[in-house]
Amino acid sequence: MKKEPDPVHATRRRFIAGSAAALGLAGTTVAVTALAGEGRAKPAARPEPRRPNVIVVLADDLGYGELGSYGQDLILTPRLDELAAEGLRFTSAYAAAPVCAPSRCSMLTGLHVGHAAVRTNPLGGPQGSLGDEDTTFAELLRDQGYRTACIGKWGFGPEEPDQPSHPNNRGFDEFYGYIGHHHAHDFHPAALWENGRRVPVPGNVAGRRGTYAPDLFRDRALEFIQDQADRQQRARRPDEGQDSGTGSGAGATERPFLLYFAPNVPHAPSRRLEQAGYASRPWTKANKGHAAQVSHLDTTVGAMVDLLRARGIADDTVILVTSDNGPHEEGRVDPARFDAASSLRGVKRNLYEGGIRVPLLAWGPGRVAAGTETSRQTPLTDVLPTLTELAGARTPDHVDGLSLAGLVGGVHAPGDHRHLYWYRNDPFATPTSQAADGGRGLQTCEAVRRGDWKAVRFAPGRDRTVPDHRWDVELYNLRDDPGERHDVAAEHPETVARLVNLMHGSWTEPEPLRA
Protein backbone atom coordinates (compact mmCIF):
# COMPACT_ATOMS: atom_id res chain seq x y z
CA MET A 1 0.00 0.00 0.00
CA LYS A 2 1.28 3.41 -0.89
CA LYS A 3 2.01 5.53 2.17
CA GLU A 4 0.18 8.86 2.46
CA PRO A 5 2.45 11.90 2.86
CA ASP A 6 2.98 13.28 6.35
CA PRO A 7 1.21 16.68 6.52
CA VAL A 8 3.91 18.04 8.85
CA HIS A 9 6.62 17.52 6.21
CA ALA A 10 6.41 19.16 2.80
CA THR A 11 6.85 16.70 -0.04
CA ARG A 12 10.32 17.58 -1.24
CA ARG A 13 9.79 17.11 -4.95
CA ARG A 14 6.56 19.12 -4.92
CA PHE A 15 8.19 21.90 -2.95
CA ILE A 16 11.27 22.04 -5.19
CA ALA A 17 9.04 22.24 -8.26
CA GLY A 18 7.22 25.18 -6.69
CA SER A 19 10.52 26.86 -5.90
CA ALA A 20 11.68 26.53 -9.48
CA ALA A 21 8.46 28.08 -10.75
CA ALA A 22 8.91 31.03 -8.42
CA LEU A 23 12.57 31.53 -9.30
CA GLY A 24 11.78 34.02 -12.04
CA LEU A 25 10.42 36.44 -9.43
CA ALA A 26 13.35 36.12 -7.06
CA GLY A 27 16.08 37.62 -9.20
CA THR A 28 14.68 41.08 -9.96
CA THR A 29 13.74 44.09 -7.88
CA VAL A 30 11.26 46.51 -9.44
CA ALA A 31 11.82 50.27 -9.09
CA VAL A 32 9.35 53.00 -10.01
CA THR A 33 10.78 55.75 -12.25
CA ALA A 34 8.91 58.91 -13.36
CA LEU A 35 9.07 59.47 -17.11
CA ALA A 36 9.62 63.02 -18.42
CA GLY A 37 6.52 64.55 -19.97
CA GLU A 38 4.25 61.80 -18.67
CA GLY A 39 2.13 61.89 -15.59
CA ARG A 40 2.60 58.23 -14.82
CA ALA A 41 5.24 55.87 -13.48
CA LYS A 42 6.86 53.05 -15.31
CA PRO A 43 8.43 50.01 -13.64
CA ALA A 44 12.13 49.72 -14.38
CA ALA A 45 14.01 46.55 -13.59
CA ARG A 46 17.35 46.85 -11.84
CA PRO A 47 19.64 44.03 -10.78
CA GLU A 48 19.27 42.70 -7.27
CA PRO A 49 22.41 42.82 -5.11
CA ARG A 50 24.61 39.82 -5.71
CA ARG A 51 23.47 36.77 -3.73
CA PRO A 52 26.07 36.07 -1.05
CA ASN A 53 28.30 33.10 -0.69
CA VAL A 54 27.51 31.45 2.64
CA ILE A 55 29.77 29.59 5.07
CA VAL A 56 28.11 27.89 8.03
CA VAL A 57 30.65 26.80 10.66
CA LEU A 58 29.23 24.35 13.21
CA ALA A 59 31.60 23.51 16.07
CA ASP A 60 31.19 20.28 18.03
CA ASP A 61 30.53 20.85 21.78
CA LEU A 62 31.74 24.47 21.90
CA GLY A 63 30.36 26.12 25.04
CA TYR A 64 28.71 29.52 25.29
CA GLY A 65 31.65 30.87 27.29
CA GLU A 66 34.55 29.42 25.27
CA LEU A 67 35.21 32.39 22.98
CA GLY A 68 36.91 35.59 24.03
CA SER A 69 33.96 37.58 22.71
CA TYR A 70 31.76 35.72 25.20
CA GLY A 71 34.05 36.26 28.19
CA GLN A 72 36.71 33.54 27.80
CA ASP A 73 40.13 34.61 29.12
CA LEU A 74 42.12 31.35 29.17
CA ILE A 75 41.57 29.96 25.67
CA LEU A 76 42.83 32.21 22.87
CA THR A 77 40.34 32.90 20.06
CA PRO A 78 41.57 36.14 18.43
CA ARG A 79 40.22 35.45 14.93
CA LEU A 80 36.71 34.61 16.08
CA ASP A 81 36.82 37.63 18.36
CA GLU A 82 37.64 39.72 15.27
CA LEU A 83 34.54 38.34 13.57
CA ALA A 84 32.48 39.37 16.60
CA ALA A 85 33.99 42.87 16.50
CA GLU A 86 33.38 43.16 12.75
CA GLY A 87 29.94 41.59 12.78
CA LEU A 88 26.93 40.61 14.87
CA ARG A 89 27.07 38.71 18.19
CA PHE A 90 24.01 36.85 19.44
CA THR A 91 23.67 36.62 23.23
CA SER A 92 20.57 34.37 23.31
CA ALA A 93 21.22 31.84 20.55
CA TYR A 94 20.14 28.27 21.16
CA ALA A 95 21.06 24.85 19.85
CA ALA A 96 18.00 22.80 19.03
CA ALA A 97 19.01 20.00 21.41
CA PRO A 98 21.63 19.34 24.10
CA VAL A 99 23.37 16.62 22.03
CA CYS A 100 24.65 16.62 18.48
CA ALA A 101 22.50 14.46 16.18
CA PRO A 102 19.09 16.03 16.86
CA SER A 103 20.62 19.49 17.06
CA ARG A 104 22.25 19.12 13.64
CA CYS A 105 19.14 17.64 12.07
CA SER A 106 17.05 20.58 13.28
CA MET A 107 19.54 23.14 12.01
CA LEU A 108 19.73 21.51 8.58
CA THR A 109 15.95 21.17 8.17
CA GLY A 110 14.57 24.14 10.15
CA LEU A 111 12.36 21.85 12.26
CA HIS A 112 12.66 21.85 16.04
CA VAL A 113 13.22 18.59 17.85
CA GLY A 114 9.50 18.01 18.42
CA HIS A 115 8.98 17.81 14.65
CA ALA A 116 12.32 16.71 13.20
CA ALA A 117 13.22 13.30 11.81
CA VAL A 118 16.14 12.78 14.24
CA ARG A 119 15.38 13.50 17.92
CA THR A 120 18.05 11.60 19.83
CA ASN A 121 21.62 10.45 19.52
CA PRO A 122 21.93 6.73 18.70
CA LEU A 123 20.27 4.76 21.53
CA GLY A 124 22.16 1.51 21.13
CA GLY A 125 20.80 0.86 17.63
CA PRO A 126 21.25 2.48 14.23
CA GLN A 127 21.71 6.22 14.11
CA GLY A 128 18.90 8.35 12.79
CA SER A 129 18.69 9.26 9.13
CA LEU A 130 17.41 11.97 6.86
CA GLY A 131 15.26 10.90 3.93
CA ASP A 132 13.48 12.15 0.82
CA GLU A 133 10.73 13.67 2.96
CA ASP A 134 13.32 15.91 4.67
CA THR A 135 14.53 19.11 3.02
CA THR A 136 17.87 20.61 4.02
CA PHE A 137 19.08 24.14 3.43
CA ALA A 138 21.67 22.69 1.04
CA GLU A 139 18.96 21.25 -1.20
CA LEU A 140 17.16 24.57 -1.32
CA LEU A 141 20.29 26.57 -2.14
CA ARG A 142 21.58 24.06 -4.67
CA ASP A 143 18.27 24.30 -6.49
CA GLN A 144 18.89 28.05 -6.69
CA GLY A 145 22.21 27.49 -8.45
CA TYR A 146 24.56 27.41 -5.46
CA ARG A 147 27.54 25.10 -5.47
CA THR A 148 27.43 23.24 -2.18
CA ALA A 149 29.88 21.34 0.01
CA CYS A 150 29.76 19.59 3.39
CA ILE A 151 33.14 19.10 5.06
CA GLY A 152 33.59 17.40 8.42
CA LYS A 153 31.02 15.58 10.54
CA TRP A 154 27.70 14.53 8.99
CA GLY A 155 26.35 12.09 11.59
CA PHE A 156 23.28 10.58 9.90
CA GLY A 157 22.47 7.30 8.24
CA PRO A 158 24.44 4.13 7.54
CA GLU A 159 28.07 4.08 6.41
CA GLU A 160 27.01 3.47 2.82
CA PRO A 161 27.25 5.63 -0.29
CA ASP A 162 23.96 4.96 -2.05
CA GLN A 163 21.34 5.76 0.58
CA PRO A 164 18.90 8.67 1.02
CA SER A 165 20.68 10.14 4.04
CA HIS A 166 24.07 10.50 2.37
CA PRO A 167 25.15 14.18 2.09
CA ASN A 168 25.30 13.93 -1.71
CA ASN A 169 21.60 13.00 -1.63
CA ARG A 170 20.74 15.77 0.79
CA GLY A 171 21.88 18.70 -1.28
CA PHE A 172 25.68 18.68 -1.16
CA ASP A 173 27.60 18.49 -4.42
CA GLU A 174 30.78 17.67 -2.50
CA PHE A 175 31.30 15.79 0.76
CA TYR A 176 34.46 15.00 2.67
CA GLY A 177 34.42 13.70 6.22
CA TYR A 178 32.60 11.33 8.53
CA ILE A 179 29.19 9.88 7.73
CA GLY A 180 28.75 8.09 11.06
CA HIS A 181 28.21 9.60 14.48
CA HIS A 182 30.74 7.36 16.24
CA HIS A 183 33.29 7.46 13.42
CA ALA A 184 33.64 11.21 14.11
CA HIS A 185 35.05 10.46 17.57
CA ASP A 186 38.29 9.30 15.91
CA PHE A 187 40.54 12.28 15.22
CA HIS A 188 43.11 10.09 13.43
CA PRO A 189 40.91 7.82 11.28
CA ALA A 190 42.31 5.25 8.88
CA ALA A 191 39.83 6.48 6.24
CA LEU A 192 37.32 9.23 5.56
CA TRP A 193 34.46 9.49 3.09
CA GLU A 194 34.92 11.47 -0.08
CA ASN A 195 31.51 11.62 -1.72
CA GLY A 196 30.55 7.98 -2.32
CA ARG A 197 33.81 6.25 -1.47
CA ARG A 198 36.05 5.70 1.52
CA VAL A 199 39.56 7.08 1.02
CA PRO A 200 42.60 6.21 3.15
CA VAL A 201 44.07 8.88 5.41
CA PRO A 202 47.86 9.01 4.91
CA GLY A 203 49.88 8.19 8.00
CA ASN A 204 47.02 6.68 10.03
CA VAL A 205 47.69 2.98 9.48
CA ALA A 206 49.15 0.20 11.60
CA GLY A 207 48.65 2.13 14.82
CA ARG A 208 50.38 5.29 13.60
CA ARG A 209 48.54 8.54 14.29
CA GLY A 210 50.28 11.06 12.08
CA THR A 211 47.38 12.85 10.37
CA TYR A 212 44.91 14.94 12.35
CA ALA A 213 41.50 14.95 10.66
CA PRO A 214 40.63 18.59 11.50
CA ASP A 215 43.77 19.62 9.57
CA LEU A 216 42.40 17.76 6.53
CA PHE A 217 39.03 19.45 6.92
CA ARG A 218 40.68 22.87 7.11
CA ASP A 219 42.73 22.22 3.98
CA ARG A 220 39.76 20.84 2.04
CA ALA A 221 37.60 23.83 3.02
CA LEU A 222 40.26 26.26 1.83
CA GLU A 223 40.57 24.35 -1.44
CA PHE A 224 36.81 24.57 -1.97
CA ILE A 225 36.76 28.32 -1.27
CA GLN A 226 39.73 28.87 -3.57
CA ASP A 227 38.09 26.90 -6.37
CA GLN A 228 34.79 28.75 -6.02
CA ALA A 229 36.55 32.13 -5.95
CA ASP A 230 38.35 31.23 -9.18
CA ARG A 231 35.07 30.22 -10.84
CA GLN A 232 33.37 33.44 -9.79
CA GLN A 233 36.21 35.60 -11.03
CA ARG A 234 36.23 33.82 -14.39
CA ALA A 235 32.48 34.39 -14.70
CA ARG A 236 33.01 38.14 -14.16
CA ARG A 237 35.60 38.51 -16.93
CA PRO A 238 33.92 39.54 -20.19
CA ASP A 239 37.02 38.83 -22.28
CA GLU A 240 37.11 35.08 -21.70
CA GLY A 241 35.26 32.58 -23.78
CA GLN A 242 32.41 30.68 -22.24
CA ASP A 243 33.32 27.27 -20.90
CA SER A 244 30.14 25.35 -21.52
CA GLY A 245 29.05 23.28 -18.59
CA THR A 246 31.41 24.80 -16.07
CA GLY A 247 29.62 28.06 -15.36
CA SER A 248 32.64 30.20 -16.22
CA GLY A 249 33.50 32.67 -18.98
CA ALA A 250 31.62 35.42 -20.80
CA GLY A 251 27.87 34.91 -20.79
CA ALA A 252 28.02 32.35 -17.99
CA THR A 253 26.02 32.80 -14.81
CA GLU A 254 28.08 33.54 -11.73
CA ARG A 255 27.20 30.95 -9.11
CA PRO A 256 27.60 31.59 -5.38
CA PHE A 257 28.61 28.82 -3.02
CA LEU A 258 27.47 27.27 0.26
CA LEU A 259 30.04 25.66 2.53
CA TYR A 260 28.75 23.74 5.54
CA PHE A 261 31.91 23.32 7.61
CA ALA A 262 31.40 20.96 10.56
CA PRO A 263 34.71 19.93 12.14
CA ASN A 264 34.69 17.57 15.11
CA VAL A 265 36.46 20.04 17.43
CA PRO A 266 36.41 20.54 20.36
CA HIS A 267 34.64 17.20 20.92
CA ALA A 268 36.40 14.52 22.99
CA PRO A 269 38.91 12.95 22.92
CA SER A 270 40.83 16.17 23.43
CA ARG A 271 43.87 15.42 21.31
CA ARG A 272 45.84 18.10 19.54
CA LEU A 273 49.32 17.03 18.48
CA GLU A 274 51.26 20.10 19.53
CA GLN A 275 48.81 21.56 22.11
CA ALA A 276 49.60 24.88 20.48
CA GLY A 277 50.14 27.66 22.95
CA TYR A 278 49.11 25.69 26.01
CA ALA A 279 51.92 23.18 26.66
CA SER A 280 53.35 25.20 29.56
CA ARG A 281 50.02 25.84 31.29
CA PRO A 282 49.55 24.17 34.69
CA TRP A 283 46.60 22.18 33.41
CA THR A 284 45.87 18.53 32.78
CA LYS A 285 46.77 17.07 29.40
CA ALA A 286 43.07 16.81 28.52
CA ASN A 287 42.45 20.48 29.32
CA LYS A 288 45.47 21.55 27.28
CA GLY A 289 44.23 19.47 24.37
CA HIS A 290 40.74 20.90 24.66
CA ALA A 291 42.01 24.47 24.62
CA ALA A 292 44.17 23.67 21.60
CA GLN A 293 41.16 22.25 19.77
CA VAL A 294 39.18 25.44 20.35
CA SER A 295 42.16 27.44 19.08
CA HIS A 296 42.36 25.15 16.05
CA LEU A 297 38.80 26.11 15.18
CA ASP A 298 39.75 29.76 15.65
CA THR A 299 42.76 29.65 13.32
CA THR A 300 40.80 27.68 10.72
CA VAL A 301 38.06 30.29 10.53
CA GLY A 302 40.75 32.97 10.41
CA ALA A 303 42.36 31.25 7.44
CA MET A 304 39.00 31.21 5.65
CA VAL A 305 38.55 34.94 6.20
CA ASP A 306 42.09 35.66 5.00
CA LEU A 307 41.46 33.67 1.82
CA LEU A 308 38.13 35.39 1.15
CA ARG A 309 39.85 38.76 1.43
CA ALA A 310 42.83 37.73 -0.68
CA ARG A 311 40.53 36.48 -3.45
CA GLY A 312 38.36 39.60 -3.36
CA ILE A 313 35.10 37.90 -2.36
CA ALA A 314 34.86 38.81 1.33
CA ASP A 315 32.24 41.46 0.56
CA ASP A 316 30.19 38.82 -1.24
CA THR A 317 30.23 36.32 1.65
CA VAL A 318 28.33 35.78 4.89
CA ILE A 319 29.78 33.56 7.63
CA LEU A 320 27.80 32.09 10.53
CA VAL A 321 29.75 30.45 13.38
CA THR A 322 27.98 28.48 16.10
CA SER A 323 27.92 25.18 18.04
CA ASP A 324 25.65 22.14 18.18
CA ASN A 325 25.25 22.16 21.97
CA GLY A 326 26.90 23.19 25.23
CA PRO A 327 30.38 22.21 26.45
CA HIS A 328 31.36 18.62 27.18
CA GLU A 329 33.38 17.05 29.96
CA GLU A 330 34.20 13.70 28.35
CA GLY A 331 37.79 12.51 28.26
CA ARG A 332 38.56 14.19 31.61
CA VAL A 333 38.07 17.70 30.30
CA ASP A 334 36.95 20.03 33.08
CA PRO A 335 34.47 22.63 31.76
CA ALA A 336 34.67 24.51 35.07
CA ARG A 337 38.36 25.20 34.42
CA PHE A 338 37.38 27.42 31.50
CA ASP A 339 33.95 28.61 32.69
CA ALA A 340 32.90 26.93 29.47
CA ALA A 341 29.21 27.61 30.02
CA SER A 342 29.88 31.08 31.43
CA SER A 343 27.61 31.62 34.45
CA LEU A 344 24.88 29.38 33.04
CA ARG A 345 23.68 26.18 34.68
CA GLY A 346 24.56 22.86 33.11
CA VAL A 347 26.62 21.51 30.22
CA LYS A 348 26.08 19.22 27.25
CA ARG A 349 23.03 16.95 27.82
CA ASN A 350 21.26 19.41 30.13
CA LEU A 351 18.22 21.42 29.07
CA TYR A 352 19.28 24.16 31.41
CA GLU A 353 20.85 27.14 29.65
CA GLY A 354 24.43 25.84 29.82
CA GLY A 355 23.50 22.79 27.75
CA ILE A 356 21.66 24.58 24.96
CA ARG A 357 22.68 28.25 24.81
CA VAL A 358 25.52 28.58 22.30
CA PRO A 359 27.67 31.28 20.71
CA LEU A 360 26.49 32.56 17.35
CA LEU A 361 28.40 35.07 15.24
CA ALA A 362 27.32 36.55 11.90
CA TRP A 363 29.95 38.23 9.72
CA GLY A 364 29.63 39.80 6.29
CA PRO A 365 31.42 43.04 5.34
CA GLY A 366 28.98 45.53 3.88
CA ARG A 367 26.00 43.37 4.90
CA VAL A 368 26.32 42.81 8.65
CA ALA A 369 26.75 45.90 10.82
CA ALA A 370 30.09 45.79 12.63
CA GLY A 371 30.29 45.66 16.41
CA THR A 372 26.62 44.90 16.95
CA GLU A 373 24.85 42.42 19.18
CA THR A 374 21.31 41.17 19.72
CA SER A 375 19.54 39.51 22.63
CA ARG A 376 16.82 38.10 20.35
CA GLN A 377 15.97 34.52 21.28
CA THR A 378 17.45 32.74 18.27
CA PRO A 379 17.31 28.96 17.80
CA LEU A 380 19.47 27.36 15.13
CA THR A 381 16.30 26.33 13.31
CA ASP A 382 16.47 29.93 12.04
CA VAL A 383 19.49 29.06 9.87
CA LEU A 384 17.47 27.45 7.06
CA PRO A 385 15.01 30.32 6.46
CA THR A 386 17.84 32.82 6.83
CA LEU A 387 19.86 31.16 4.09
CA THR A 388 16.91 30.73 1.79
CA GLU A 389 16.02 34.43 2.07
CA LEU A 390 19.60 35.51 1.48
CA ALA A 391 19.74 33.21 -1.56
CA GLY A 392 16.40 34.32 -3.01
CA ALA A 393 14.95 30.85 -2.48
CA ARG A 394 11.48 29.97 -1.29
CA THR A 395 11.28 28.85 2.35
CA PRO A 396 9.11 25.79 3.06
CA ASP A 397 5.91 26.76 4.83
CA HIS A 398 6.18 24.07 7.51
CA VAL A 399 9.55 25.01 9.06
CA ASP A 400 9.75 26.18 12.67
CA GLY A 401 12.57 28.65 12.05
CA LEU A 402 12.25 32.35 11.25
CA SER A 403 14.58 34.24 8.93
CA LEU A 404 17.36 36.39 10.37
CA ALA A 405 18.15 37.90 6.99
CA GLY A 406 16.90 41.25 8.23
CA LEU A 407 19.57 41.28 10.93
CA VAL A 408 22.24 39.79 8.70
CA GLY A 409 21.45 41.97 5.70
CA GLY A 410 19.95 45.02 7.40
CA VAL A 411 16.71 44.80 5.39
CA HIS A 412 14.06 44.39 8.08
CA ALA A 413 13.68 43.31 11.69
CA PRO A 414 13.16 39.56 12.14
CA GLY A 415 10.06 38.21 13.80
CA ASP A 416 10.12 36.76 17.30
CA HIS A 417 9.33 33.16 18.14
CA ARG A 418 6.15 32.54 20.09
CA HIS A 419 8.09 29.98 22.10
CA LEU A 420 11.11 27.66 21.88
CA TYR A 421 10.97 23.91 22.57
CA TRP A 422 13.61 21.29 23.50
CA TYR A 423 13.59 17.56 24.24
CA ARG A 424 16.23 15.26 25.72
CA ASN A 425 16.28 11.46 25.84
CA ASP A 426 19.88 10.30 26.09
CA PRO A 427 21.42 7.12 27.52
CA PHE A 428 24.51 8.88 28.90
CA ALA A 429 25.24 11.42 31.59
CA THR A 430 28.42 12.88 33.05
CA PRO A 431 29.07 13.98 36.64
CA THR A 432 28.50 17.65 35.87
CA SER A 433 25.35 17.07 33.80
CA GLN A 434 24.01 14.72 36.47
CA ALA A 435 24.68 17.26 39.20
CA ALA A 436 22.94 20.01 37.21
CA ASP A 437 19.93 17.72 36.69
CA GLY A 438 19.77 16.75 40.35
CA GLY A 439 20.55 13.12 39.52
CA ARG A 440 17.90 12.93 36.79
CA GLY A 441 20.27 12.92 33.83
CA LEU A 442 19.00 9.58 32.46
CA GLN A 443 15.35 10.62 32.59
CA THR A 444 13.46 12.09 29.66
CA CYS A 445 13.33 15.86 29.86
CA GLU A 446 11.51 18.68 28.05
CA ALA A 447 11.85 22.46 28.17
CA VAL A 448 10.01 25.48 26.79
CA ARG A 449 10.98 29.14 26.80
CA ARG A 450 8.38 31.83 26.19
CA GLY A 451 9.56 35.36 26.75
CA ASP A 452 11.45 35.47 30.04
CA TRP A 453 9.76 32.35 31.38
CA LYS A 454 11.32 28.92 31.00
CA ALA A 455 9.91 25.60 32.21
CA VAL A 456 11.98 22.43 32.51
CA ARG A 457 10.32 19.13 33.37
CA PHE A 458 11.54 15.59 34.02
CA ALA A 459 9.63 12.36 33.46
CA PRO A 460 10.03 9.66 36.14
CA GLY A 461 11.87 7.49 33.58
CA ARG A 462 12.27 7.34 29.81
CA ASP A 463 8.57 7.39 28.85
CA ARG A 464 7.38 10.84 27.77
CA THR A 465 3.74 9.65 27.56
CA VAL A 466 3.26 9.38 31.32
CA PRO A 467 0.59 11.71 32.78
CA ASP A 468 1.58 15.27 33.63
CA HIS A 469 1.21 14.79 37.37
CA ARG A 470 4.10 12.29 37.34
CA TRP A 471 6.58 14.81 35.89
CA ASP A 472 8.73 17.10 38.02
CA VAL A 473 8.28 20.66 36.68
CA GLU A 474 10.52 23.64 37.38
CA LEU A 475 10.00 27.27 36.38
CA TYR A 476 12.59 30.03 35.99
CA ASN A 477 12.44 33.71 35.08
CA LEU A 478 15.53 34.16 32.92
CA ARG A 479 15.42 37.94 33.09
CA ASP A 480 15.89 37.86 36.89
CA ASP A 481 17.61 34.48 37.16
CA PRO A 482 19.65 33.66 34.02
CA GLY A 483 21.58 30.99 35.93
CA GLU A 484 18.36 29.08 36.75
CA ARG A 485 19.07 28.91 40.47
CA HIS A 486 15.59 29.70 41.81
CA ASP A 487 12.66 27.46 40.89
CA VAL A 488 9.48 29.55 41.18
CA ALA A 489 7.00 26.95 39.90
CA ALA A 490 5.05 26.91 43.18
CA GLU A 491 4.45 30.68 43.00
CA HIS A 492 3.24 30.66 39.35
CA PRO A 493 1.06 27.57 38.72
CA GLU A 494 -0.85 29.20 35.84
CA THR A 495 2.39 30.00 34.01
CA VAL A 496 3.57 26.41 34.55
CA ALA A 497 0.31 25.08 33.10
CA ARG A 498 0.59 27.31 30.01
CA LEU A 499 4.17 26.24 29.32
CA VAL A 500 3.39 22.55 29.79
CA ASN A 501 0.55 22.93 27.29
CA LEU A 502 3.07 24.41 24.86
CA MET A 503 5.23 21.31 25.35
CA HIS A 504 2.29 19.10 24.41
CA GLY A 505 1.53 21.21 21.35
CA SER A 506 5.16 21.13 20.22
CA TRP A 507 5.35 17.37 19.86
CA THR A 508 4.28 15.23 16.94
CA GLU A 509 4.80 11.50 17.05
CA PRO A 510 7.91 10.58 15.04
CA GLU A 511 8.00 8.06 12.27
CA PRO A 512 9.79 4.77 12.99
CA LEU A 513 13.57 5.18 13.06
CA ARG A 514 15.07 5.12 9.57
CA ALA A 515 18.25 3.06 9.58
Side-chain angles (χ1 to χ4, degrees):
M1 181 180 296
K2 183 177 180 180
K3 184 178 178 181
E4 293 298 318
D6 183 349
V8 174
H9 299 282
T11 301
R12 176 178 174 271
R13 292 182 180 86
R14 185 181 305 157
F15 173 77
I16 295 302
S19 288
L23 180 57
L25 299 177
T28 303
T29 300
V30 176
V32 177
T33 305
L35 297 181
E38 298 183 8
R40 59 189 176 88
K42 178 181 179 181
R46 57 181 170 83
E48 194 174 62
R50 184 178 288 122
R51 294 179 298 164
N53 306 307
V54 178
I55 300 175
V56 178
V57 179
L58 184 67
D60 200 348
D61 295 358
L62 179 71
Y64 180 80
E66 293 196 283
L67 302 181
S69 55
Y70 287 82
Q72 180 57 227
D73 57 8
L74 295 177
I75 302 173
L76 304 177
T77 57
R79 301 308 305 273
L80 289 169
D81 298 343
E82 287 176 9
L83 260 63
E86 296 172 359
L88 173 63
R89 187 176 74 99
F90 291 76
T91 60
S92 295
Y94 287 98
V99 291
C100 68
S103 182
R104 291 161 186 260
C105 174
S106 288
M107 188 187 76
L108 283 161
T109 63
L111 298 172
H112 69 55
V113 76
H115 295 153
V118 178
R119 307 189 187 189
T120 67
N121 272 357
L123 297 173
Q127 62 187 9
S129 296
L130 303 180
D132 286 336
E133 58 271 46
D134 300 303
T135 304
T136 71
F137 57 67
E139 292 173 273
L140 299 171
L141 267 63
R142 185 172 67 179
D143 289 324
Q144 292 294 105
Y146 274 67
R147 291 189 174 92
T148 59
C150 172
I151 297 173
K153 176 179 175 179
W154 179 241
F156 306 110
E159 295 268 346
E160 300 170 5
D162 188 18
Q163 42 93 4
S165 194
H166 190 281
N168 291 150
N169 292 325
R170 295 276 62 84
F172 292 102
D173 299 315
E174 299 181 24
F175 169 63
Y176 181 68
Y178 309 97
I179 291 179
H181 175 86
H182 294 295
H183 186 200
H185 297 172
D186 186 355
F187 283 82
H188 300 84
L192 290 167
W193 284 87
E194 184 171 30
N195 296 319
R197 63 191 184 96
R198 289 174 64 93
V199 295
V201 174
N204 291 350
V205 295
R208 291 180 293 170
R209 309 178 64 83
T211 303
Y212 186 60
D215 287 344
L216 299 178
F217 301 148
R218 175 200 61 213
D219 294 346
R220 185 60 65 94
L222 295 175
E223 289 173 9
F224 177 78
I225 294 170
Q226 176 74 53
D227 180 59
Q228 300 312 308
D230 289 345
R231 289 171 180 261
Q232 291 178 9
Q233 289 175 347
R234 287 197 300 268
R236 296 177 192 177
R237 294 174 188 155
D239 56 338
E240 290 188 4
Q242 183 173 354
D243 183 4
S244 177
T246 66
S248 63
T253 300
E254 182 182 339
R255 295 177 61 187
F257 69 82
L258 163 70
L259 170 59
Y260 172 45
F261 183 70
N264 49 336
V265 292
H267 195 287
S270 300
R271 297 193 180 106
R272 181 70 189 120
L273 297 182
E274 70 278 5
Q275 296 180 344
Y278 304 101
S280 62
R281 298 293 181 96
W283 304 340
T284 65
K285 183 177 180 180
N287 284 337
K288 292 177 184 178
H290 176 78
Q293 287 182 326
V294 175
S295 288
H296 188 280
L297 173 72
D298 181 75
T299 58
T300 295
V301 175
M304 292 180 182
V305 171
D306 291 343
L307 181 57
L308 293 170
R309 286 176 169 148
R311 301 300 295 159
I313 60 172
D315 288 351
D316 298 327
T317 305
V318 170
I319 300 179
L320 302 177
V321 181
T322 189
S323 175
D324 59 354
N325 48 248
H328 75 84
E329 66 171 337
E330 287 88 350
R332 300 184 179 181
V333 169
D334 179 11
R337 158 64 66 182
F338 304 109
D339 289 327
S342 188
S343 60
L344 305 176
R345 178 178 177 179
V347 292
K348 177 182 177 180
R349 296 191 174 87
N350 295 126
L351 290 188
Y352 298 111
E353 294 289 286
I356 53 177
R357 196 183 296 198
V358 292
L360 173 60
L361 303 174
W363 178 88
R367 296 175 186 267
V368 181
T372 54
E373 70 175 40
T374 177
S375 60
R376 177 189 183 270
Q377 296 167 28
T378 303
L380 296 188
T381 51
D382 289 350
V383 170
L384 181 146
T386 300
L387 301 193
T388 55
E389 184 171 349
L390 289 173
R394 179 183 164 204
T395 302
D397 295 334
H398 66 285
V399 300
D400 297 305
L402 299 173
S403 175
L404 301 170
L407 281 174
V408 172
V411 180
H412 56 78
D416 292 325
H417 288 269
R418 182 169 177 262
H419 70 278
L420 306 181
Y421 173 78
W422 298 272
Y423 167 76
R424 190 274 315 276
N425 181 18
D426 198 72
F428 303 104
T430 63
T432 298
S433 68
Q434 272 283 48
D437 276 341
R440 299 167 294 183
L442 299 180
Q443 297 168 215
T444 291
C445 183
E446 288 182 302
V448 154
R449 179 173 182 178
R450 184 175 186 180
D452 293 325
W453 289 111
K454 181 178 174 187
V456 182
R457 72 172 189 161
F458 296 85
R462 304 293 288 277
D463 182 3
R464 72 167 306 278
T465 67
V466 299
D468 287 343
H469 71 270
R470 296 187 60 194
W471 294 69
D472 293 329
V473 187
E474 302 167 1
L475 180 69
Y476 302 94
N477 187 307
L478 296 181
R479 178 189 60 196
D480 302 328
D481 181 23
E484 295 168 295
R485 307 291 188 240
H486 306 291
D487 175 13
V488 295
E491 294 97 301
H492 300 277
E494 293 182 356
T495 300
V496 169
R498 285 197 298 270
L499 296 186
V500 169
N501 282 337
L502 289 176
M503 294 179 189
H504 288 303
S506 299
W507 183 268
T508 58
E509 284 302 314
E511 296 181 3
L513 180 66
R514 295 190 291 271

